[in-house]
Amino acid sequence: MDPDALRRWAAALLLCGGSAVFAGAPPAPQPERMAVIRHLARQDCGACHGLTFRGGLGSPLTPEALKDKPDESLAAVILNGRPGTPMPPWRPFLTEEEAKWLVYWLKQGAPP
Amino acid sequence: MAGLLVETGRAALIGSLSLLLAACAAPALRGTGDLGVVIERASGSVQVVDNTHQTSLGRVEGLGDLSHASVVFSRDARYAYVFGRDGAISKVDLLRLILVRRVAQASNSIGGAISSDGKVIAAQNYQPGGVRLFDADSLALLADVPAAPGVNGKPSRVVGLADLPGKRFAYALFDADEIDVMDASDPAHPVVERHPGAGKSPYDGLASMDGRYFLAGLYGEDGLSLLDTWRPDLGVRRVLAGYGRGEQAMPVYKMPHLRGWSLAGDYAFLPAVGHHQVLMADNRSWAQVATVPVLGQPVFVMAEPSGRRVWVNFAFPDNDKVQVIDVPTRAVIATLHPGKAILHMEFTPRGDAVWLSSRDDDKLVVIDTASLKTVRELPARSPSGVFFSWRAGRMGM
């Protein structure tokens, strides 16, 4: 692990407590960008998954619903969509790191 | 306020007393024909608005999770029934600006309808999938009708619920590819006529304003499914099939919505799914007449009550724009930028103005349909749906 990542990891550990370790807290976006992503998630993902992520046309994205699903594959669904279902690809609007952070944030219960 | 007088005025003496009292407080008597309800999705509140004077009359709070909320009106247009995503039905008094009643009836709901006699409220649910009927006065449960199961074995999510004449309701099953017509003349014992094989993944539906046709938009194929309820024996047929004609479908960041305002004059105007087009069909033969290219994935495609123009808003990332289509020339004549995240549009009863909700600018925008100029903006908290009380007297709304 490079020193930079180590520092971020340590910071996340400090900030988020134990659960962050298991969720493997990915690097967080800049605060302004983070606000944009949270808004996008609640409003535009929420259009299908519900504002509180308890599901709608899209499946629930609550911590309970996601807990057994690997972060990598969830991030891949976000970026690439799931063909044959209404889940669209968000790659034009989110980077890979941002998608990973979104998964982390969803698994934390989408804190404000 | 008129209602207050009536309720308290049972005895003549008390009646005149309260009249006197009322005169002191000077509550203005008023009708409800130009009122409306605006959903404030994030704060669980609604605003009651007056579309003649373009003002807000007040706010009613405590309605729960209103993401994807929709509204129907009692037929006296006094009450609004608000269906929340969290499965609650809230009955709001438009005159007294209070929440009269609220029932939690499912854990995930998408909308509802009111029967042709105004006595039964039907809620369409995702979880548990099905339709539930309620008494319009008391909101007491009358019947629970689980939907046919989808591939996962669970009752399907219900979409597109619309009232039909004769105390019937039509709806589609997203997970079971089915259109159902429910006869609720005996609301405690509804009878369901099923039409399986009604097209892949219906995402929403509409009833024509005469209540004859039920049309379901399909997510899983390019086309719509049509049921002529005068001829149920003919079954469901596909219309506007293959409208994308081999073009690569584009991602859809928000599902379009269908409702009776899509039909006006001789035509139906419908959102294509995965194509940046509005489809125009003959509303008797249902043959495709034209496609009108637009700038994004259409969400609401609404004809002005006159049928002369059609207004279109769009899915993310184009939801800050609105386009206006001229029907005779079938061309876009204006592209407007009324605000950020335009989620819904509603015409005044005869279409002199249109109200738009701008979620991310926390405002309502009133546009004069003749000049296409913004004539008023009103503050609102993260507004989504705007519903005017003229819907009370219309089928399929």
Side-chain angles (χ1 to χ4, degrees):
Chain A
M1 200 181 279
D2 68 86
D4 228 43
L6 195 66
R7 219 175 311 120
R8 279 199 299 262
W9 193 79
L13 187 70
L14 271 172
L15 276 172
C16 309
S19 61
V21 181
F22 300 108
Q30 293 301 308
E32 309 87 70
R33 180 64 188 157
M34 208 183 309
V36 171
I37 296 173
R38 273 201 300 256
H39 183 77
L40 174 93
R42 269 193 221 292
Q43 301 295 344
D44 297 299
C45 311
C48 286
H49 293 280
L51 274 187
T52 52
F53 302 114
R54 287 193 302 154
L57 192 66
S59 40
L61 300 179
T62 51
E64 306 79 71
L66 299 181
K67 71 174 185 304
D68 296 329
K69 301 186 177 167
D71 297 359
E72 291 294 319
S73 72
L74 291 171
V77 175
I78 295 174
L79 291 166
N80 306 325
R82 193 172 272 163
T85 80
M87 176 61 190
W90 293 84
R91 200 179 284 283
F93 312 105
L94 295 169
T95 65
E96 303 214 354
E97 293 220 319
E98 288 170 347
K100 284 185 196 148
W101 180 78
L102 247 182
V103 169
Y104 166 75
W105 180 75
L106 288 167
K107 285 190 169 185
Q108 299 295 306
Chain B
M1 290 304 170
L4 267 176
L5 290 182
V6 175
E7 275 167 30
T8 49
R10 280 190 204 104
L13 186 69
I14 301 175
S16 47
L17 201 71
S18 61
L19 249 176
L20 264 173
L21 284 174
C24 298
L29 286 177
R30 65 157 304 147
T32 55
D34 58 355
L35 297 188
V37 168
V38 177
I39 305 292
E40 297 184 311
R41 72 199 304 238
S43 56
S45 54
V46 297
Q47 274 191 50
V48 176
V49 296
D50 167 336
N51 61 40
T52 304
H53 302 94
Q54 299 170 348
T55 52
S56 171
L57 301 182
R59 179 174 275 129
V60 182
E61 315 211 70
L63 278 72
D65 177 358
L66 295 183
S67 50
H68 207 296
S70 66
V71 174
V72 299
F73 293 91
S74 61
R75 74 168 172 186
D76 61 3
R78 167 80 185 267
Y79 300 99
Y81 298 91
V82 183
F83 301 89
R85 166 70 89 187
D86 58 4
I89 306 176
S90 303
K91 184 175 178 180
V92 173
D93 185 333
L94 300 182
L95 291 179
R96 294 197 288 181
L97 299 172
I98 53 166
L99 180 59
V100 181
R101 221 158 255 126
R102 183 175 146 82
V103 291
Q105 58 88 29
S107 65
N108 199 317
S109 178
I110 187 79
I114 184 163
S115 61
S116 55
D117 63 354
K119 292 187 173 150
V120 177
I121 299 292
Q124 54 176 339
N125 297 327
Y126 275 1
Q127 182 61 42
V131 173
R132 284 184 174 165
L133 302 180
F134 298 87
D135 180 272
D137 286 329
S138 66
L139 296 186
L141 180 68
L142 298 172
D144 177 16
V145 183
V151 278
N152 65 4
K154 289 195 289 189
S156 169
R157 290 171 281 186
V158 175
V159 299
L161 179 74
D163 59 289
L164 299 179
K167 303 179 213 168
R168 290 174 305 153
F169 298 101
Y171 49 91
L173 307 184
F174 179 77
D175 304 299
D177 300 348
E178 182 168 312
I179 290 177
D180 289 353
V181 177
M182 175 190 289
D183 184 335
S185 354
D186 176 1
H189 304 97
V191 179
V192 178
E193 165 195 298
R194 295 177 54 185
H195 297 275
K200 275 219 242 59
S201 311
Y203 66 86
D204 200 3
L206 69 88
S208 57
M209 280 182 260
D210 54 8
R212 173 171 176 180
Y213 297 104
F214 181 77
L215 202 58
L218 301 175
Y219 181 80
E221 53 188 285
D222 287 353
L224 293 96
S225 288
L226 179 79
L227 177 69
D228 179 350
T229 66
W230 292 9
R231 293 298 307 275
D233 53 304
L234 297 180
V236 171
R237 74 182 159 101
R238 211 72 84 243
V239 296
L240 299 169
Y243 55 71
R245 267 180 297 270
E247 290 165 33
Q248 181 68 36
M250 285 174 268
V252 176
Y253 291 98
K254 181 169 181 171
M255 280 293 174
H257 285 266
L258 305 174
R259 211 73 319 212
W261 26 247
S262 292
L263 313 178
D266 300 330
Y267 304 110
F269 303 91
L270 300 159
V273 180
H275 303 279
H276 295 176
Q277 293 172 347
V278 168
L279 311 169
M280 192 170 160
D282 179 294
N283 74 12
R284 285 293 158 193
S285 71
W286 299 95
Q288 188 164 329
V289 173
T291 55
V292 181
V294 288
L295 62 76
Q297 168 64 53
V299 175
F300 285 98
V301 177
M302 294 184 154
E304 287 181 9
S306 67
R308 173 68 204 256
R309 286 173 177 170
V310 172
W311 291 59
V312 188
N313 75 336
F314 300 98
F316 175 89
D318 296 306
N319 55 11
D320 57 338
K321 301 170 204 90
V322 167
Q323 289 195 307
V324 184
I325 297 170
D326 177 57
V327 171
T329 58
R330 298 166 191 179
V332 170
I333 53 162
T335 301
L336 311 176
H337 296 80
K340 283 189 276 177
I342 301 295
L343 292 196
H344 196 222
M345 309 179 282
E346 181 84 332
F347 292 101
T348 54
R350 300 186 204 186
D352 56 298
V354 60
W355 288 48
L356 295 84
S357 54
S358 170
R359 183 194 69 205
D360 290 354
D361 281 339
D362 293 304
K363 67 179 183 184
L364 301 166
V365 181
V366 184
I367 297 178
D368 173 70
T369 51
S371 66
L372 303 183
K373 294 257 168 19
T374 296
V375 290
R376 190 87 162 219
E377 292 191 350
L378 298 169
R381 301 177 191 153
S382 198
S384 56
V386 183
F387 302 87
F388 289 159
S389 62
W390 54 257
R391 291 172 179 250
R394 293 253 306 255
M395 273 190 267
M397 298 303 291

